[in-house]
Amino acid sequence: MFIHKFSYLKRFVQLILVVALLNSNLTMAAAGTDWDSALDDINGLHGNYTSLQTALKSESSRIQMLRKQNNETLKSIHSVIESTDKALLGRLSSEATSVKKKHAPLLEQYSTLSKQSTAAKKARDFKTATLLDLRRNKLKAAVAIARTEIKAKTDALATARKQTATKLKPIKDALAPISALKKQITAANKNITVAQKVRSEADKQYKSAVKQGDAIKAATEMRISYEQMMRIHSMQQNIYSWEHKIALAIHSAESKLP
């Protein structure tokens, strides 16, 4: 009876060992299959990865060139805007300031006499009020001439400014969309910076995995890097499109320059 039980137990242990060995071989085989599959992924992705990397550099260069051209032309247009009628407006502004300064003492004296006369009348000091009115009224003609001269110079300046603004309005209207486009470009560039950081870390991990002979890890990190490159590629295409719209707005503004 004892011998029969021992024989049964021996066969059971042997069966467990066989199953364990088979499982171990299957695990090793599966690991080998995963490794080979990862290696195939790396090889399959390598061509697209390299091509996309080249495309990103080309896109970046193209964007920089267009942006530089846009900025230079935009700077030139703003220079024209700032210089338009600058001499005329400067002269008229100077004349208006000069005539106001010239007549300031007279107008101040006239105003002071009026205030003093009003105060004297409230105090029922009619003698003083009369004397003040006489002095003030003696200045009326000169004050009227001064005010007319000041108004003429002020009106001339206001009219010139209005005419200049009207002349420049079509140019500024053409440039108006650029502000919103630049904000979109700034936001996209921030997203690209984030994607570049993720990609840089993935590239670092990829190189480390290659050194360690870990094809599975290398394939994973290469895929992450590639996905970030695809994101950057999409955002760069958007940025170029926006820069192109800016170029069109600038061209439209140029055509309206005086």
Side-chain angles (χ1 to χ4, degrees):
M1 183 70 175
F2 176 77
I3 293 173
H4 178 72
K5 287 183 179 180
F6 177 76
S7 177
Y8 174 78
L9 182 61
K10 182 179 179 182
R11 286 197 301 274
F12 181 72
V13 170
Q14 288 174 339
L15 179 61
I16 291 175
L17 290 173
V18 169
V19 171
L21 183 59
L22 287 172
N23 285 338
S24 176
N25 289 336
L26 288 172
T27 300
M28 291 177 66
T33 300
D34 290 343
W35 196 93
D36 290 338
S37 178
L39 192 60
D40 289 341
D41 286 345
I42 292 173
N43 289 332
L45 192 59
H46 190 270
N48 291 336
Y49 186 97
T50 304
S51 297
L52 184 55
Q53 198 169 35
T54 302
L56 289 180
K57 290 180 181 179
S58 177
E59 286 174 354
S60 179
S61 177
R62 189 169 60 150
I63 289 169
Q64 292 301 323
M65 288 178 62
L66 181 56
R67 181 174 297 156
K68 182 180 179 182
Q69 179 183 332
N70 284 344
N71 288 341
E72 288 176 352
T73 309
L74 193 56
K75 183 179 179 181
S76 176
I77 291 174
H78 281 306
S79 178
V80 172
I81 290 174
E82 290 174 5
S83 63
T84 297
D85 296 337
K86 186 175 182 180
L88 172 63
L89 293 175
R91 177 176 63 79
L92 292 176
S93 178
S94 178
E95 289 177 359
T97 300
S98 179
V99 77
K100 286 178 182 178
K101 185 176 180 180
K102 171 186 171 183
H103 294 304
L106 173 63
L107 297 178
E108 180 63 28
Q109 182 184 8
Y110 186 83
S111 176
T112 299
L113 288 171
S114 295
K115 289 177 182 177
Q116 289 174 342
S117 174
T118 299
K121 289 173 182 177
K122 284 185 178 179
R124 305 186 69 79
D125 185 354
F126 298 112
K127 180 180 178 180
T128 300
T130 299
L131 292 173
L132 291 170
D133 284 345
L134 288 171
R135 290 177 60 191
R136 181 197 63 192
N137 293 339
K138 188 178 180 180
L139 300 175
K140 267 188 177 182
V143 167
I145 293 172
R147 285 175 174 171
T148 299
E149 189 176 352
I150 290 172
K151 185 177 185 304
K153 295 297 184 182
T154 303
D155 287 350
L157 176 60
T159 299
R161 283 175 172 169
K162 186 176 180 180
Q163 290 173 343
T164 301
T166 301
K167 190 187 301 182
L168 296 177
K169 187 177 185 301
I171 304 169
K172 293 182 177 181
D173 287 347
L175 296 176
I178 292 178
S179 178
L181 291 168
K182 282 185 174 291
K183 287 180 180 179
Q184 288 178 291
I185 290 171
T186 298
N189 279 327
K190 288 181 180 179
N191 290 333
I192 286 176
T193 299
V194 173
Q196 289 283 25
K197 288 182 179 179
V198 175
R199 182 196 167 196
S200 178
E201 180 60 26
D203 287 345
K204 181 180 176 182
Q205 294 298 325
Y206 167 80
K207 291 175 182 178
S208 176
V210 170
K211 287 181 180 180
Q212 296 172 13
D214 189 344
I216 297 173
K217 176 69 172 175
T220 298
E221 297 301 332
M222 190 178 195
R223 176 64 62 181
I224 292 173
S225 179
Y226 183 75
E227 288 172 352
Q228 294 305 310
M229 288 169 67
M230 288 294 292
R231 287 189 64 215
I232 294 169
H233 172 60
S234 176
M235 288 185 282
Q236 286 190 164
Q237 286 183 318
N238 286 337
I239 289 174
Y240 185 81
S241 174
W242 294 327
E243 287 288 355
H244 182 63
K245 288 181 180 179
I246 289 174
L248 292 176
I250 290 172
H251 179 70
S252 176
E254 273 188 306
S255 69
K256 295 174 175 60
L257 288 176

